[in-house]
Amino acid sequence: MPAPTVTARAVTVGESAGGVFLVLGLLSRLTALSLTVHMCLAMVLVNAGTGFTTPRQGVASGAGTELPPMKVAALLVVLPAGPGPLALDASSGSKRSRRGVTGPLAAGPPRCAPRSSAARSGV
């Protein structure tokens, strides 16, 4: 049975590398998407027969499907938001616009010039 061993190794490497990539902020959206697909498949293929909550006793103890939906919800936050300001994606020097915004608003809100003292005094 070499196929389950290969699959188990691929899942282990994928989840470990995906977790490290998310913590470091490398390829955040792509990693979040792939881990979301992986968690959805895990819910359907592994946890479907055990129910939502974890049984306290029996063969299926510790195998409820309440944890994968929580992980999917967290990953769905990363998909539209993208990498944060401390992510390695942001500091790698790539000139990507922030959060998918293009055009004149990509640089952020406009900065106003400080008012002169004459304008403040009402003269």
Side-chain angles (χ1 to χ4, degrees):
M1 289 195 291
T5 304
V6 172
T7 305
R9 287 183 182 155
V11 167
T12 302
V13 169
E15 281 196 18
S16 299
V20 170
F21 275 33
L22 279 179
V23 168
L24 295 177
L26 291 171
L27 304 171
S28 300
R29 288 184 172 143
L30 180 64
T31 303
L33 179 65
S34 65
L35 288 176
T36 300
V37 170
H38 179 263
M39 284 291 113
C40 290
L41 286 173
M43 284 188 285
V44 170
L45 298 175
V46 177
N47 300 111
T50 59
F52 184 72
T53 58
T54 303
R56 295 192 186 267
Q57 298 175 348
V59 180
S61 63
T65 187
E66 73 272 7
L67 185 62
M70 184 183 67
K71 289 181 180 180
V72 168
L75 290 167
L76 288 177
V77 171
V78 176
L79 279 173
L86 299 177
L88 291 180
D89 276 349
S91 65
S92 66
S94 61
K95 295 291 183 183
R96 292 185 205 158
S97 62
R98 63 179 182 93
R99 297 191 183 184
V101 177
T102 58
L105 296 178
R111 305 281 184 215
C112 296
R115 300 172 97 186
S116 67
S117 60
R120 277 186 252 154
S121 64
V123 178

